[in-house]
Amino acid sequence: MANTETALKEATTVIEGALGAALVDYTSGMALGMVGGGKDLDLTVAAAGNTDVVRAKVRTMEMLGLQEEIEDILITLGTQYHLIRLLKSRGANGLFLYLALDKGRANLAMARHQLRKIEADLEV
């Protein structure tokens, strides 16, 4: 089992094209841990903004009566992918992993696969 810091470091080193990663509490919008980012990617702002995305999708699914669980949410930009993976493990309710990727260097399928593995090993 990996702690938050180890899991986020793994995400940014193992996943090709990773620009930054964060573990976020979407009930508060607070990042519980962050690795990477920089002048072009403020992870604090990204964590808070993506909290709104997750809340909106959860609310929409409730209004539609969908009895599904969100695996991940993908936002595709011109030069980046932003991947949001809601955590399913016990004790992780209300948390998501956020990963920003360089679109030119990243393999989206592999990134999703590796992020799923990192989630499975994460101990919150």
Side-chain angles (χ1 to χ4, degrees), residues 14 17 51 54 86-87 89-90 97 111 114-115 117-118 122 124:
V14 171
T51 294
V54 171
L86 276 70
L87 301 186
S89 60
R90 195 177 80 240
L97 284 168
Q114 290 169 319
L115 198 57
K117 285 176 51 180
I118 290 167
L122 179 63
V124 183

Side-chain angles (χ1 to χ4, degrees), residues 70-119:
I70 299 170
E71 288 183 13
D72 51 39
I73 298 169
L74 171 65
I75 299 167
T76 305
L77 305 176
T79 61
Q80 296 178 356
Y81 293 123
H82 291 228
L83 189 56
I84 300 166
R85 178 150 188 94
L86 276 70
L87 301 186
K88 308 281 188 297
S89 60
R90 195 177 80 240
N93 195 25
L95 301 179
F96 66 87
L97 284 168
Y98 166 71
L99 179 66
L101 300 159
D102 178 321
K103 195 173 179 181
R105 295 184 9 230
N107 177 321
L108 185 56
M110 281 303 294
R112 289 183 69 217
H113 174 72
Q114 290 169 319
L115 198 57
R116 197 170 26 249
K117 285 176 51 180
I118 290 167
E119 174 198 3

